[in-house]
Amino acid sequence: NAGVTQTPKFQVLKTGQSMTLQCAQDMNHNSMYWYRQDPGMGLRLIYYSASEGTTDKGEVPNGYNVSRLNKREFSLRLESAAPSQTSVYFCASSEAIRGHYGYTFGSGTRLTVV
Amino acid sequence: AQSVTQLGSHVSVSEGALVLLRCNYSSSVPPYLFWYVQYPNQGLQLLLKYTSAATLVKGINGFEAEFKKSETSFHLTKPSAHMSDAAEYFCAVSRSNTGNQFYFGTGTSLTVIP
């Protein structure tokens, strides 16, 4: 099984450009998440989708939008990239939103905004 | 409110020595607790989780962790370190009632010295 697949793996953007990070899972999970990882700050939740058709803001949603396209896919969009959005982005999924389900993570997208 | 504190952002041990990575949590309700491992340039992988069953939890690769409610701790241990254990380790907590997101610690980087 592929698990959680993220594309692209690396991206360099200029300030003001837009892009969409793609995420797909093949485990029939209901819940999906987008995190960013920055040195010394652990992982911070950007947006999550408890189930198909729903999305909610996490801890750091400003500057981002998401789309839960279907049960498998959850995309993250940067409308106007800023240098502060330079980070490693991880998509994750879980069977459900309840706390005892662990997450399965993708391998990450390394984004640099210049 | 809930949070996770990982004591020591960097830990070095000799090959064959005991590994001890510390995690303390705060939670207003009984928590679910997790340890994840991240190898270089990869996503996070679930090592083990506590979900209110046995307080001593065994995970993959010889790791285990003990939930101590009186100390609000969930430290990760391994009796004998291997070179392959060098990685970043994250402790995470979620709520036992709704758990709509995890709260991750800032991570501990483990170095294993040959």
Side-chain angles (χ1 to χ4, degrees):
Chain A
N1 286 341
V4 177
T5 302
Q6 291 183 235
T7 56
K9 294 189 182 302
F10 301 93
Q11 185 70 49
V12 178
L13 288 179
K14 294 182 179 179
T15 297
Q17 288 185 319
S18 62
M19 80 162 294
T20 300
L21 282 63
Q22 306 288 352
C23 175
Q25 53 91 9
D26 62 2
M27 296 168 289
N28 202 35
H29 284 173
N30 289 296
S31 304
M32 298 185 73
Y33 315 83
W34 276 105
Y35 282 87
R36 60 178 290 173
Q37 183 180 29
D38 301 291
M41 301 190 73
L43 279 81
R44 293 181 293 170
L45 183 66
I46 304 171
Y47 271 93
Y48 67 98
S49 171
S51 59
E52 186 178 356
T54 69
T55 60
D56 284 286
K57 295 179 180 179
E59 181 183 357
V60 288
N62 291 344
Y64 306 95
N65 285 300
V66 291
S67 296
R68 183 75 183 266
L69 304 171
N70 48 55
K71 190 171 185 178
R72 290 186 64 247
E73 299 174 284
F74 188 40
S75 64
L76 178 72
R77 183 162 178 82
L78 286 70
E79 291 292 350
S80 179
S84 61
Q85 294 178 305
T86 293
S87 187
V88 181
Y89 291 86
F90 287 100
C91 178
S93 69
S94 64
E95 289 186 43
I97 202 70
R98 291 292 180 263
H100 65 280
Y101 291 107
Y103 289 2
T104 299
F105 282 84
S107 57
T109 295
R110 282 154 181 77
L111 176 66
T112 302
V113 182
V114 298
Chain B
Q2 56 196 347
S3 66
V4 173
T5 302
Q6 291 185 241
L7 298 176
S9 58
H10 299 277
V11 170
S12 294
V13 300
S14 298
E15 191 175 16
L18 171 71
V19 176
L20 170 61
L21 304 181
R22 299 177 187 276
C23 174
N24 288 89
Y25 70 91
S26 64
S27 177
S28 55
V29 297
Y32 294 127
L33 293 158
F34 303 78
W35 275 99
Y36 286 84
V37 60
Q38 183 181 31
Y39 299 103
N41 299 316
Q42 295 186 26
L44 280 70
Q45 177 184 355
L46 181 65
L47 265 181
L48 50 79
K49 63 180 180 180
Y50 166 75
T51 58
S52 75
T55 56
L56 182 62
V57 182
K58 296 187 183 297
I60 62 173
N61 301 337
F63 284 93
E64 62 183 35
E66 186 172 7
F67 172 68
K68 291 186 176 181
K69 185 177 180 180
S70 60
E71 300 177 7
T72 61
S73 68
F74 191 58
H75 301 331
L76 182 70
T77 61
K78 182 174 181 178
S80 177
H82 295 168
M83 296 298 295
S84 60
D85 294 327
E88 187 93 14
Y89 292 81
F90 292 92
C91 183
V93 62
S94 70
R95 294 167 57 165
S96 61
N97 50 359
T98 58
N100 62 342
Q101 64 171 291
F102 281 18
Y103 294 88
F104 284 88
T106 53
T108 298
S109 177
L110 176 66
T111 300
V112 181
I113 304 166

